[in-house]
C-alpha cells in the first residue's frame, strides 16, 4: 500500500471512530474501528469494526449503514479527489487471532 493511501486509510479510520463515539446510542456497546482498506483508485473503503458484546453486531452494522451519508460528508472535508464509497464489515481477523492466541496459552 502506498504511503498516501495508508495515511488516508488512517484518517478515515479516525474519522469513523470519532463519529461512532460522538453519535452512537449508549446501548450499542463498545465499538472499535480496527482498520480501513482502500482500493487502489480510492473509490471504495472497507471499514472493519469489532463490537462487545458480540450480540450487538447487527445493531452496530445498521447504525453505520444508516449514518453512511453523514460519515461520507465528514470524509469529504478531507478535500480528496475521490470520495470513497463506504462498506462496513465485521473484522473477523481479530477473532481468528484471538482463537489462535487462546489455543497457545
Amino acid at each position: 500500500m502506498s504511503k498516501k493511501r495508508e495515511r488516508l486509510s488512517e484518517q478515515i479510520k479516525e474519522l469513523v471512530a470519532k463519529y461512532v463515539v460522538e453519535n452512537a446510542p449508549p446501548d450499542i456497546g463498545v465499538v472499535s474501528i480496527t482498520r480501513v482498506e482502500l482500493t487502489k483508485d480510492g473509490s471504495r473503503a472497507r471499514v472493519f469494526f469489532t463490537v462487545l458484546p458480540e450480540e450487538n453486531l447487527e445493531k452496530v452494522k445498521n447504525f453505520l449503514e444508516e449514518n453512511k451519508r453523514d460519515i461520507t460528508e465528514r470524509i469529504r472535508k478531507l478535500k480528496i479527489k475521490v470520495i470513497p464509497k463506504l462498506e462496513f464489515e465485521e473484522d473477523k481477523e481479530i477473532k481468528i487471532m484471538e482463537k489462535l492466541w487462546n489455543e497457545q496459552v
Side-chain angles (χ1 to χ4, degrees):
M1 186 184 293
S2 74
K3 290 282 184 196
K4 187 177 179 180
R5 252 189 340 176
E6 204 171 294
R7 191 172 57 247
L8 182 57
S9 291
E10 190 61 32
Q11 287 177 311
I12 292 171
K13 176 185 162 192
E14 289 173 15
L15 253 164
V16 175
K18 187 175 180 185
Y19 185 88
V20 170
V21 167
E22 293 172 354
N23 298 287
D27 68 333
I28 210 162
V30 178
V31 180
S32 179
I33 305 303
T34 55
R35 61 193 163 102
V36 173
E37 290 180 358
L38 276 173
T39 56
K40 283 188 180 190
D41 63 0
S43 64
R44 291 188 183 276
R46 290 175 61 198
V47 179
F48 292 89
F49 66 92
T50 59
V51 63
L52 290 173
E54 289 183 26
E55 301 85 58
N56 290 354
L57 178 67
E58 282 306 310
K59 273 188 190 179
V60 172
K61 188 156 182 149
N62 290 338
F63 169 78
L64 291 168
E65 289 293 337
E66 289 167 6
N67 292 281
K68 191 182 284 191
R69 180 179 288 158
D70 289 342
I71 297 168
T72 300
E73 283 307 310
R74 289 189 180 201
I75 293 170
R76 194 176 305 280
K77 291 177 183 173
L78 295 175
K79 297 190 186 326
I80 52 179
K81 288 180 184 176
V82 178
I83 306 301
K85 182 177 186 218
L86 300 173
E87 300 170 358
F88 300 104
E89 193 172 311
E90 175 189 14
D91 196 341
K92 293 181 181 168
E93 282 186 24
I94 300 288
K95 283 185 180 179
I96 292 168
M97 288 170 37
E98 232 176 53
K99 185 176 178 185
L100 289 172
W101 177 261
N102 289 334
E103 287 175 358
Q104 292 177 357
V105 174

